[in-house]
Amino acid sequence: MLPVTAPRSEPADAQPTLLRRAFVFDAATRTFVPGRDILLEGGRVARVGEDIDAPGARVVDCGGLYAIPGLIDCHVHITSSGEPGAMNYAAREPLPLRAWRAGEYARRTLHAGFTTVRDLGAADRLNVDLARAIDEGLVEGPRVLAAGLGVTMTGGHGHGFIAREADGPDEVRKAVREQLRAGATTVKLFASGGVMTPGVDPRSPSLTEEELRAGVEEAHKAFRVVGAHAQSTEGIKNAVRAGVDSIEHGVWLDGEAIELMAERGTYLVATLTAPYHIAHGGLEAGIPPFMVDKAHQVLEDHFASFKAAVAGGVRVAMGTDQGTPLSRPGENAQEIVRIAEQGLSNAGALLAATAWAADLLNIEAGRLEAGKAADIVILRGDPLADISILTDQSCIAGVIKAGRDVRLEIAGTASGGTT
Ligand SMILES: [Zn+2]
């Protein structure tokens, strides 16, 4: 597929920046290479190496600090606060109010080190407009690949809040085309029931393989990556056979599903955080009882499926389902910790939130290499030794998006020359 979702045009007029003598994460060897310089120019990484000479560049001394690529969350609902009920009842609030709030959620997400997110469904397609506002520099936030509304069957999961209903291959085709017309840069299809819609069983498949295939065809024709919400075993297999790029959730994976995914290179975006919070936060937090019951149903099997998929060689990319109850913007990194604990290792989890996520989304980011987006997080500690530092705001010394400072708290920053 062509790199159509590459970072969109960002202003390239920022002064070049030279990050001096950091430990730099190398995706290929899964290690930090000490004493490396990174030169950022025109919104991209220009060079990574030793003792780079860059006259005129701003120099930032990163001695003792760890540089990783900007984090990527492949499954968010960034226009949602993560308060219980926020997603389901969003459309009852005035759109301008929701838009202003969404701007704040985007800011929090970016400041937490997430420089790219994929938004898989928002009421009124607010995600598409938010992506545009960020691109125009009106709102501070990550790059947003936005699906607009997801596409679900009549009465299927997501209907009435983040999805448009469609039945039969032709209607699914049309529904996908509508999202693209509205400016969607990624596509979401629903292949099974789910936890958050009343009366819908997550164990049941929804759009048929034929319907899913029509949706995938339209998306791929426009070079858009397709994520399929799929929890039931049959729904997962339907989606994989239909050619989707990622399975979202993947609660009930059996041996055949794992083999199919590994063989076809279908990514798993597990979102373990979503049912975890719903089940543990529970009724006390005001989450509707029907959701809590269903989250308990899925939790154990979900974690077991994730472990089996990792062991079975399925590609993994990190996604939180931020916006679901108690999964708040800016707290996205907890999923990285969760997948590390569930069999991926610290290095694997970091890759799932950087290089592998970029591979799934087909974007030029996620690796600290020449030509990739100059999206960088600078850490005060080594995340391979303790991955949970990613969830600790005080461990973040800097966030840079497209070569521009989002936050930079490093003492001794010098300007205008070499050292
Ligand atoms: Zn979701």
Side-chain angles (χ1 to χ4, degrees), residues 75 77 188 321:
H75 190 139
H77 302 278
K188 164 85 168 285
D321 216 356

Side-chain angles (χ1 to χ4, degrees), residues 48-189:
V48 180
E50 250 173 85
D51 298 322
I52 294 174
D53 195 23
R58 174 181 65 142
V59 177
V60 179
D61 181 8
C62 293
L65 300 172
Y66 292 77
I68 61 171
L71 297 167
I72 301 170
D73 191 332
C74 296
H75 190 139
V76 301
H77 302 278
I78 200 169
T79 63
S80 168
S81 63
E83 293 312 311
M87 264 169 80
N88 296 54
Y89 311 120
R92 295 183 192 170
E93 287 193 310
L95 188 55
L97 182 61
R98 279 189 275 144
W100 275 309
R101 286 185 180 151
E104 171 56 18
Y105 307 151
R107 193 193 66 79
R108 283 184 210 165
T109 305
L110 178 62
H111 279 249
F114 287 82
T115 49
T116 303
V117 299
R118 177 175 61 159
D119 189 298
L120 290 180
D124 297 297
R125 288 195 279 256
L126 186 53
N127 49 8
V128 171
D129 295 324
L130 177 66
R132 188 173 300 165
I134 291 169
D135 280 354
E136 289 178 10
L138 302 173
V139 172
E140 200 187 10
R143 231 171 259 111
V144 179
L145 301 177
L149 290 164
V151 178
T152 194
M153 70 174 192
T154 292
H157 182 51
H159 82 86
F161 59 116
I162 57 165
R164 174 225 198 266
E165 292 166 304
D167 302 294
D170 286 350
E171 263 193 55
V172 169
R173 225 175 258 290
K174 185 168 186 181
V176 169
R177 288 175 180 172
E178 280 174 5
Q179 308 316 307
L180 298 176
R181 180 180 62 190
T185 46
T186 192
V187 168
K188 164 85 168 285
L189 304 172

Side-chain angles (χ1 to χ4, degrees), residues 9-330:
S9 55
E10 257 113 9
D13 55 354
Q15 184 190 12
T17 295
L18 185 64
L19 303 177
R20 194 60 112 186
R21 283 186 280 276
F23 293 93
V24 174
F25 185 65
D26 177 49
T29 58
R30 301 179 172 213
T31 58
F32 279 94
V33 184
R36 292 266 137 170
D37 296 352
I38 309 173
L39 178 63
L40 313 177
E41 216 168 0
R44 305 230 166 220
V45 174
R47 270 183 75 192
V48 180
E50 250 173 85
D51 298 322
I52 294 174
D53 195 23
R58 174 181 65 142
V59 177
V60 179
D61 181 8
C62 293
L65 300 172
Y66 292 77
I68 61 171
L71 297 167
I72 301 170
D73 191 332
C74 296
H75 190 139
V76 301
H77 302 278
I78 200 169
T79 63
S80 168
S81 63
E83 293 312 311
M87 264 169 80
N88 296 54
Y89 311 120
R92 295 183 192 170
E93 287 193 310
L95 188 55
L97 182 61
R98 279 189 275 144
W100 275 309
R101 286 185 180 151
E104 171 56 18
Y105 307 151
R107 193 193 66 79
R108 283 184 210 165
T109 305
L110 178 62
H111 279 249
F114 287 82
T115 49
T116 303
V117 299
R118 177 175 61 159
D119 189 298
L120 290 180
D124 297 297
R125 288 195 279 256
L126 186 53
N127 49 8
V128 171
D129 295 324
L130 177 66
R132 188 173 300 165
I134 291 169
D135 280 354
E136 289 178 10
L138 302 173
V139 172
E140 200 187 10
R143 231 171 259 111
V144 179
L145 301 177
L149 290 164
V151 178
T152 194
M153 70 174 192
T154 292
H157 182 51
H159 82 86
F161 59 116
I162 57 165
R164 174 225 198 266
E165 292 166 304
D167 302 294
D170 286 350
E171 263 193 55
V172 169
R173 225 175 258 290
K174 185 168 186 181
V176 169
R177 288 175 180 172
E178 280 174 5
Q179 308 316 307
L180 298 176
R181 180 180 62 190
T185 46
T186 192
V187 168
K188 164 85 168 285
L189 304 172
F190 286 85
S192 85
V195 170
M196 288 182 58
T197 310
V200 171
D201 192 326
R203 293 171 193 269
S204 63
S206 57
L207 288 176
T208 64
E209 186 180 332
E210 197 193 0
E211 289 169 325
L212 290 162
R213 186 167 287 125
V216 169
E217 217 176 274
E218 288 307 311
H220 284 177
K221 224 163 72 177
F223 310 112
R224 301 298 196 253
V225 172
V226 183
H229 166 103
Q231 304 194 342
S232 86
T233 313
E234 204 43 49
I236 292 165
K237 290 178 192 171
N238 286 341
V240 175
R241 283 191 295 254
V244 303
D245 301 292
S246 64
I247 292 295
E248 307 300 309
H249 319 302
V251 173
W252 289 289
L253 293 167
D254 65 6
E256 193 195 2
I258 288 171
E259 242 170 69
L260 258 178
M261 289 177 73
E263 197 182 287
R264 302 190 55 139
T266 314
Y267 282 80
L268 174 63
V269 178
T271 74
L272 298 178
T273 296
Y276 177 87
H277 276 312
I278 298 174
H280 286 85
L283 300 168
E284 279 168 39
I287 299 173
F290 77 86
M291 274 190 216
V292 178
D293 287 348
K294 283 198 274 183
H296 278 294
Q297 268 179 41
V298 311
L299 199 62
E300 230 172 89
D301 294 343
H302 195 180
F303 279 62
S305 282
F306 179 76
K307 278 187 180 158
V310 170
V314 172
R315 292 168 157 185
V316 172
M318 197 283 294
T320 55
D321 216 356
Q322 172 270 316
T324 54
L326 307 180
S327 184
R328 299 189 171 93

